[in-house]
Structures are given as structure tokens and as C-alpha cells.
Amino acid sequence: MTQPWTSADDVRRELDAVDYLVDDGMATALHLALTLEQPLLLEGEPGVGKTAAAKALARALGADLIRLQCYEGLTASEALYEWNYQRQLLAIRLAESRHETLSDADLFTEEFLQERPILQAIRAKGPVAPVLLIDEIDRADDEFEALLFEFLGEASVTIPEIGTFVAQRRPVVVLTSNRSRELHDALRRRCLYHWIDFPEPTRAADILRRAVPAATEPLIGSATEFVGRVRGLDLDKPPGMAETIDWVSALAALGAAELVPQDVVRSLSALAKTPDDRASIIAAVEGATLGQPGSTG
């Protein structure tokens, strides 16, 4: 792949242009993944922007985004390829009507091959290599990881009946994981790795300005501080950046120009994701253990 960006600063600038703000670590990780043409494994708490990173990268590169959403029980036929059995059956019946017989070599050809996301990424013919997002790989079974080794290491997929397809132009591959289970060392060895942490307050405020232009500066400042303190509570699901954006959007939709306790409680459906977390945040607000919402101290 012709690398359009020559430095981490280029990556940061191009992603900024599509409203995805990254720190030095993330910009460097993406730059290396593009330059070395290696898959990039992104880990971090839910809601820190792992999936959004792949989407933003595709927009910035002008590339197609191919997404493989992982889940328990995901199989090769759903991720790599499968055979179009209906078309094969029709071909057999048509041959029989002509008093002909088809062999396996006639039926297992590219004519009857159905591409799934990974093979689609390998065989992509567009002017720009696609971005393949393998999302939440930790949700798939251990065995599924082994199916990815050839692709991640060699950018190829072997189909026993036909042969090996090798990408003429390596796709940009981004894997994400919420660390719901440990990934196999063999998968990690085939990827560059970056941990996305919650953004520090200044960058979080910058992200909110881009994502929620209707929010006032006082609301952004106090909401950013408030979420930082909420993460210090013993919560089941600490709010990530995605929840923070949803929450500030909700506050703006309610007409809040500043953060006051009543609005915190009214809008908690966007911030707290379990009954226990909702109760904990309300108790902390009422008990002032989070400080006065809207204050800067």
C-alpha cells in the first residue's frame, strides 16, 4: 500500500480533519501500523473510541470500511468464505437435464465462492486498500483466533478446494478488544498493540466540543470534570468517552447550559448503564462526595 502519511503528526492532522482526536501514543501506533503494514490490536475499556478509530481511519484514508463483528460461535463460513450451495445445486440440476455429470472440480470454483469480510478485504480491487475492522475479537471463541493466524501473518486465506488467495495490497487491519478474556499469545505476536486509556480532561473537552457543538463551554468543562470523578466510584460500567458524548448531548437536548444536580439525575440514562451504578452516582451527588457539579474545585 502506498503510504499517504509520512509521520505520526500527519496521522494526527488527517484524523483531526475527520473529527477524531488522538494523542501522541495513538497517532504513533496508527502511523506504524500503516507504515509497516501490520495489523493493529487496540485494547481499552468500553467506550474509549477503539471502533471509532477504525471508522475515522477509513474516512481519513478515503477507504472502504469492512467490518467483522465478533461474537461467541463465529465460524469461518461467516468470517472468511463459504460455498453457495444453492447455486451449486442449480448447476447440478442443469447438468443433469443435459445428461452431464459435474465433478467436485466443477463445483468448487470461484464461481460458487461467497466472500465474507476477511476474503473480501484480501480481494478488494478499489483504488485504496480497505480498512478491515475485526471488532471485539475477545467475544469470539479461542478457536476462531486460530482461523485468523494465516490472514494476520501473511495477508492470505487458503481455501482447500481452490488454493491460497494472497492480498495484492494489504488491507489496513484494526482489531479491538475489551479484554473480556485473554487473547492468545500467537494472535498478539502477529499484531502491533496499543492500549487506549480514557482521555485526559483537556482532550476530553476537545472531543466534546467536536462531538456536541450545541454544548456550552461551562457545560463541557463541568461535565468533563464530573465524569472524571464518576470514574473514581466503584461502578460496574465506568462511563467511557462514548457515554460521555451521549450524556452531554442529552444535557444539551434538555437545554442545560451549566451542570446542576437536577439535570444530572434527569439525564443519567445516558451515563449510568446499571441500576447499581445509577444509585451510586445519585448517592454521590446527593452526598456531595463528587463535589458540587458544575464547580471547578
Side-chain angles (χ1 to χ4, degrees):
M1 182 181 70
T2 301
Q3 167 57 272
W5 308 330
T6 58
S7 69
D9 286 340
D10 284 349
V11 173
R12 182 169 32 243
R13 183 177 58 255
E14 295 297 331
L15 291 179
D16 185 300
V18 295
D19 291 331
Y20 186 80
L21 306 181
V22 296
D23 58 16
D24 290 342
M26 183 68 171
T28 301
L30 290 170
H31 170 58
L32 291 176
L34 293 170
T35 301
L36 302 178
E37 297 188 342
Q38 291 190 19
L40 175 62
L41 171 61
L42 297 176
E43 285 195 326
E45 297 292 337
V48 294
K50 303 183 293 295
T51 300
K55 293 180 178 178
L57 191 60
R59 291 199 303 274
L61 289 168
D64 291 335
L65 177 70
I66 301 173
R67 181 171 182 168
L68 174 61
Q69 178 63 54
C70 297
Y71 56 88
E72 186 176 357
L74 181 64
T75 65
S77 64
E78 295 163 309
L80 281 69
Y81 68 90
E82 68 178 331
W83 296 105
N84 189 331
Y85 295 115
Q86 289 186 332
R87 288 196 62 190
Q88 288 175 322
L89 183 59
L90 288 173
I92 291 172
R93 289 177 175 171
L94 180 61
E96 289 175 343
S97 71
R98 296 172 178 168
H99 305 291
E100 299 173 352
T101 301
L102 297 182
S103 65
D104 286 350
D106 297 317
L107 293 172
F108 292 97
T109 65
E110 290 191 47
E111 178 184 358
F112 301 103
L113 189 64
Q114 290 184 310
E115 296 177 349
R116 296 309 181 210
I118 291 176
L119 186 58
Q120 183 183 351
I122 284 180
R123 301 182 71 190
K125 302 295 185 185
V128 179
V131 174
L132 174 63
L133 168 62
I134 303 177
D135 210 10
E136 300 185 287
I137 181 63
D138 52 321
R139 290 185 179 275
D141 303 318
D142 291 347
E143 293 75 10
F144 180 76
E145 290 183 38
L147 293 173
L148 298 180
F149 292 167
E150 179 188 5
F151 168 67
L152 295 176
E154 302 167 29
S156 65
V157 168
T158 296
I159 300 175
E161 297 88 346
I162 297 180
T164 299
F165 290 92
V166 181
Q168 297 300 308
R169 183 180 50 200
R170 283 181 176 250
V172 179
V173 183
V174 177
L175 302 92
T176 74
S177 168
N178 293 325
R179 299 204 69 178
S180 63
R181 66 173 176 82
E182 280 297 323
L183 302 178
H184 199 284
D185 288 346
L187 183 139
R188 292 182 178 275
R189 283 200 303 271
R190 288 166 169 80
C191 302
L192 300 176
Y193 176 82
H194 182 67
W195 171 267
I196 301 182
D197 211 340
F198 291 122
E200 46 83 25
T202 301
R203 193 161 64 86
D206 288 341
I207 293 171
L208 286 173
R209 290 186 188 97
R210 297 289 186 91
V212 195
T216 65
E217 279 299 316
L219 179 61
I220 288 174
S222 53
T224 301
E225 180 195 8
F226 182 80
V227 169
R229 295 188 181 191
V230 163
R231 289 182 186 138
L233 299 175
D234 183 19
L235 300 181
D236 296 328
K237 306 288 184 186
M241 203 60 226
E243 288 78 17
T244 304
I245 291 171
D246 288 345
W247 182 50
V248 174
S249 297
L251 288 165
L254 292 172
E258 298 181 347
L259 197 61
V260 297
Q262 300 94 304
D263 287 338
V264 171
V265 176
R266 293 171 67 200
S267 58
L268 271 186
S269 59
L271 195 65
K273 300 302 180 181
T274 71
D276 288 344
D277 286 356
R278 177 181 174 82
S280 296
I281 295 173
I282 291 175
V285 170
E286 292 176 342
T289 58
L290 288 174
Q292 177 62 46
S295 71
T296 57

